[in-house]
Amino acid sequence: MDRSSRFHSRGVAPVVALAAAAALTLAGCSSSSGGKKSEEGEAGASAGKATTPRMTVALVTHQSPGDTFWDIVRKGAEAAAAKDNIKLIYSADPNAGNQANLVQNAIDQKVDGIAITLAKPDALKGVVAKAKSANIPVVGLNSGVSDWQKLGLMEFFGQDETVAGEALGKRLNESGAKNAVCVIQEQGNIGLTQRCDGVKKTFSGKLQTLFVDGKDMPSVKSTITAKLSQDKSIDYVVTLGAPFALTAVQSLSDAGSKAKVATFDLNKDLTSAIEQGTIQFAVDQQPYLQGYLAIDSLWLYKNNGNYSGGGEQPVLTGPAFVDKSNVDAVAKFAAKGTR
Amino acid sequence: MSMTQQAAPAVDTPPAPEPKETDGRTSQRSLALRLLARPEVGVFLGAVAVYIFFLISAPPVRDGSSMANILYQSSTLGIVTIPVALLMIGGEFDLSAGVGVITSALTASMISYQLTMNVWIGVLVALIVSLAVGFLNGWLVVKTGLPSFLITLGMFLTLQGVNLAVTKLVTGNVATDDISDMDGFAQAQNIFASSFDIGGVQVKITVFYWLVFAALATWVLLRTKYGNWIFAVGGNKDSARAVGVPVAFTKISLFMLVGVGAWFVGMHQLFSFNTVQSGEGVGIELIYISAAVIGGCLLTGGAGSAIGPVFGAFMFGLVQQGIVYAGWNPDWFKAFLGVMLLGAVLINQWVRRTATRR
């Protein structure tokens, strides 16, 4: 005991000293370029605020922590909630059983509406039925375009992943690609698999799939490099998330490959890569729109009884292509982290 | 390595007779057998076997550039595996190392960007943060006497949450902002994430650091007092303390060394990819630990080397990329990885058993 506490004071002192030294030198070490100072302070989309009575809505997704895509969905939902005088309860868990528990939690809180993603529809069947019997309207977003009706959801906002994949496949044909590789960053994720399957359906060249470990970026880079050296005739790399597209560009230069890169989903670094021409195009399913519409729809239903798609058709938010011709219009929104 | 002085008499012994050695002590065994008994030799042979396997089944592996790519992947794992191995020899282990890498990268990026500072300030603060995390891990383990599994599991979960929450709070997004146009970036990139040309092949600088760190760690383990302390606290803490080994200091400093390793790879990731996603790094801690175990470090502490884990990390890089070079059906990817690693460990264990029998 005595020994360790003595060590404690000995160990902390240099750390404190270092921190103090760092703080002192901060003033003289400002960066003359980039950084926060160069960023413009713009507010997000705002459309005033409704005077309708306060309501509470839960958004429960299958997001895994720290994913840029889901962050955009959530921002859209928050923007709608702020406008509609809604208290938004956001929760997420990639494990379907846990996601179902979170929905149950929302039902127990007696919320006025629930928006959910259906990455694993079967696991959520039970809680959706419970929400209905508790008279809580449930809408779907993002995942589950083929299942939302079966589960009795009121409406659905999202992209049909297979349709998006098909659109991308056609685009590859136009570009004259012959041998493409579809890079999946999370093995066993249905939505990602459907995208690659969609591409395969319409693409007239050869399409291979490649699994990478999305939690380890150096590994993603090495694995794409390895694939490009294994098959030198690959002329297009298709990634399923923006960060992976940016890494694929580095793999190309490592492997000395002349292949091109296209991707699903956007973020702000990706828009500048499209501007510079290092990435050809992105399929944008507009996650902000998905979050926004799902929350807004629950407000509309409560206050005016409307439901989009009439309970028969989903509301599609994609596929919207972003390429060099329209990237400028998108880039300023992407810079704020909302596109 | 250091046993050549006994080589001369041993060479005379025929390779595999059925000898009548009733007293099978080390002095009587051949050099080959004694070498095989060393933990790093088993894994070395395992790695050679896997390498030959891929040389045959995956033609691109024969290229120098493919080897550079495999070594790159291995080095980003291997640089953290080395201190993780030392810690394991010292009888503890660290589940927070994988997300610790990301914590460090996020810290450096956000400090530089948000305060619009030269990126070296961020790099320095990140080092302090990583050392502090290591210190806290070690201090809690020493102070409470709880298993490091529990302490570092707590740290793993904490860092995972902090990575996400703080990044979101500070940047408004879950990934950091691009810092590639800031002062000091190019310089830091040269140090942490450049590559150099060896015979027309571009080799990443991390490969070089990896080998240097391994050599350094080997020297520390085998030739310094501190190295003796590591073996002593991992073997038997109480008797180590009884003979005057500063147990608390050794353990805490080992955790801090892991922090340094995580910081180093974190800086590599930041300066190589310009931004960091806050959700990365989960699950990588197990790869560090497996690479150290495959490399001959005991999960119970007290035995191991710094060279063995180099081959352990190499094996991971080799299998992970070799499967892609071979062009196998990727649905089986994880299964291939698991079976090959298990196979390698079994070869490793068999070699050591054969060698230490008698």
Side-chain angles (χ1 to χ4, degrees):
Chain A
M1 281 310 219
D2 205 10
R3 186 195 301 273
S4 52
S5 62
R6 236 188 306 135
F7 178 82
H8 176 205
S9 53
R10 244 188 291 152
V12 165
V15 173
V16 172
L18 262 178
L24 284 175
T25 47
L26 278 180
C29 292
S30 297
S31 176
S32 57
S33 60
K36 180 86 172 171
K37 278 185 188 162
S38 69
E39 193 185 32
E40 287 168 334
E42 276 183 272
S46 170
K49 192 170 177 182
T51 53
T52 48
R54 185 101 169 137
M55 61 188 274
T56 306
V57 169
L59 171 58
V60 187
T61 75
H62 66 278
Q63 166 189 18
S64 59
D67 187 315
T68 52
F69 177 89
W70 287 101
D71 194 38
I72 303 175
V73 174
R74 190 173 166 185
K75 279 181 181 161
E78 278 164 356
K83 189 201 71 175
D84 295 338
N85 194 19
I86 287 175
K87 181 186 169 204
L88 180 72
I89 303 169
Y90 181 80
S91 58
D93 201 304
N95 176 299
N98 294 346
Q99 195 195 351
N101 286 341
L102 291 171
V103 177
Q104 180 62 50
N105 184 314
I107 297 170
D108 296 343
Q109 295 188 51
K110 302 196 168 40
V111 295
D112 300 300
I114 300 176
I116 54 170
T117 61
L118 300 174
K120 282 151 194 158
D122 289 339
L124 294 167
K125 214 178 255 172
V127 281
V128 168
K130 276 190 195 164
K132 284 186 77 173
S133 61
N135 283 322
I136 301 173
V138 184
V139 301
L141 69 151
N142 181 263
S143 299
V145 71
S146 50
D147 295 282
W148 66 278
Q149 262 184 313
K150 263 182 276 170
L151 265 65
L153 266 54
M154 197 169 69
E155 43 195 340
F156 182 85
F157 306 90
Q159 159 177 274
D160 185 324
E161 301 292 6
T162 315
V163 171
E166 286 169 3
L168 190 138
K170 284 180 198 153
R171 191 77 177 235
L172 288 184
N173 291 338
E174 288 164 25
S175 72
K178 296 272 174 291
N179 186 2
V181 62
C182 196
V183 182
I184 297 181
Q185 74 271 16
E186 193 191 324
Q187 200 164 2
N189 178 320
I190 292 182
L192 301 182
T193 314
Q194 283 172 343
R195 288 179 177 181
C196 288
D197 288 347
V199 177
K200 199 163 207 164
K201 225 181 259 179
T202 51
F203 180 46
S204 52
K206 178 183 171 197
L207 186 82
Q208 314 177 51
T209 45
L210 175 68
F211 289 115
V212 296
D213 182 354
K215 297 280 187 204
D216 182 9
M217 220 29 123
S219 162
V220 171
K221 181 162 138 185
S222 300
T223 306
I224 300 174
T225 307
K227 186 66 195 174
L228 291 167
S229 345
Q230 184 257 327
D231 186 347
K232 294 203 187 295
S233 65
I234 289 172
D235 53 8
Y236 240 103
V237 178
V238 178
T239 59
L240 307 182
F244 310 104
L246 295 159
T247 300
V249 172
Q250 295 193 10
S251 299
L252 293 177
S253 78
D254 275 5
S257 165
K258 293 218 162 35
K260 290 173 173 166
V261 180
T263 187
F264 289 84
D265 301 343
L266 274 181
N267 68 20
K268 61 177 172 179
D269 294 326
L270 195 91
T271 53
S272 50
I274 292 176
E275 276 169 351
Q276 287 156 21
T278 48
I279 289 171
Q280 304 304 309
F281 61 90
V283 177
D284 184 15
Q285 60 170 312
Q286 309 195 76
Y288 187 89
L289 192 57
Q290 291 176 2
Y292 188 95
L293 291 181
I295 302 305
D296 204 34
S297 73
L298 287 163
W299 177 80
L300 275 170
Y301 180 74
K302 173 142 185 150
N303 291 291
N304 205 39
N306 297 125
Y307 45 104
S308 308
E312 295 290 327
Q313 294 295 322
V315 178
L316 296 184
T317 59
F321 280 95
V322 176
D323 59 17
K324 218 164 185 169
S325 66
N326 65 351
V327 68
D328 290 345
V330 174
K332 62 176 180 209
F333 303 117
K336 286 188 294 186
T338 57
R339 250 318 275 271
Chain B
M1 271 177 286
S2 57
M3 306 189 171
T4 27
Q5 69 272 25
Q6 299 194 350
V11 172
D12 297 348
T13 331
E18 209 46 61
K20 311 185 275 295
E21 292 168 19
T22 45
D23 184 16
R25 297 299 167 94
T26 12
S27 57
Q28 294 297 103
R29 276 191 286 142
S30 74
L31 174 68
L33 279 182
R34 272 186 288 118
L35 266 181
L36 283 178
R38 293 197 60 83
E40 58 270 26
V41 176
V43 66
F44 171 73
L45 292 179
V48 167
V50 175
Y51 182 56
I52 291 173
F53 174 75
F54 278 118
L55 273 184
I56 295 165
S57 51
V61 169
R62 296 165 208 164
D63 285 352
S65 62
S66 302
M67 191 34 96
N69 188 35
I70 290 170
L71 285 175
Y72 167 62
Q73 157 92 74
S74 313
S75 68
T76 58
L77 301 173
I79 289 173
V80 191
T81 300
I82 292 168
V84 163
L86 295 189
L87 177 68
M88 216 181 271
I89 296 171
E92 306 291 343
F93 69 117
D94 189 347
L95 288 174
S96 68
V99 289
V101 168
I102 304 302
T103 303
S104 207
L106 291 169
T107 306
S109 174
M110 284 191 284
I111 290 283
S112 319
Y113 186 87
Q114 298 299 326
L115 304 176
T116 318
M117 287 291 155
N118 187 302
V119 296
W120 281 103
I121 298 293
V123 171
L124 188 72
V125 175
L127 177 60
I128 294 168
V129 167
S130 286
L131 284 171
V133 168
F135 175 82
L136 195 60
N137 271 333
W139 184 74
L140 285 171
V141 165
V142 169
K143 196 82 179 167
T144 62
L146 287 170
S148 47
F149 178 90
L150 284 177
I151 302 283
T152 60
L153 180 66
M155 184 59 84
F156 163 79
L157 295 170
T158 309
L159 289 183
Q160 208 183 333
V162 166
N163 281 356
L164 182 60
V166 172
T167 309
K168 175 90 193 199
L169 205 64
V170 171
T171 69
N173 299 305
V174 295
T176 62
D177 299 278
D178 188 348
I179 59 162
S180 62
D181 56 351
M182 298 185 67
D183 287 358
F185 186 88
Q187 200 185 11
Q189 192 173 38
N190 276 335
I191 289 179
F192 290 109
S194 58
S195 27
F196 52 96
D197 194 292
I198 297 181
V201 174
Q202 289 292 313
V203 181
K204 292 280 187 320
I205 199 160
T206 47
V207 176
F208 169 77
Y209 286 123
W210 177 38
L211 300 179
V212 169
F213 293 162
L216 202 65
T218 303
W219 178 76
V220 167
L221 264 185
L222 300 179
R223 289 278 178 273
T224 67
K225 196 164 69 174
Y226 183 66
N228 281 335
W229 291 351
I230 297 177
F231 281 108
V233 298
N236 188 329
K237 193 172 62 179
D238 296 327
S239 43
R241 185 173 282 131
V243 296
V245 172
V247 174
F249 168 79
T250 308
K251 293 214 169 186
I252 295 175
S253 59
L254 283 172
F255 275 106
M256 290 170 82
L257 269 182
V258 174
V260 174
W263 167 76
F264 199 90
V265 172
M267 293 309 102
H268 167 71
Q269 292 211 24
L270 175 60
F271 293 110
S272 147
F273 301 107
N274 310 343
T275 60
V276 193
Q277 282 207 95
S278 56
E280 280 178 58
V282 178
I284 317 300
E285 67 284 343
L286 291 180
I287 299 185
Y288 300 145
I289 292 170
S290 326
V293 171
I294 291 168
C297 297
L298 289 187
L299 274 168
T300 48
S305 70
I307 289 296
V310 168
F311 293 116
F314 174 69
M315 191 111 85
F316 256 97
L318 181 60
V319 173
Q320 203 166 354
Q321 303 310 324
I323 289 165
V324 179
Y325 282 122
W328 290 338
N329 180 352
D331 291 345
W332 291 91
F333 180 77
K334 287 268 167 70
F336 279 134
L337 196 66
V339 169
M340 298 220 55
L341 284 170
L342 209 52
V345 180
L346 289 176
I347 292 179
N348 184 353
Q349 193 200 27
W350 175 76
V351 166
R352 237 189 305 167
R353 255 203 207 141
T354 324
T356 47
R357 206 183 290 148
R358 283 185 289 144

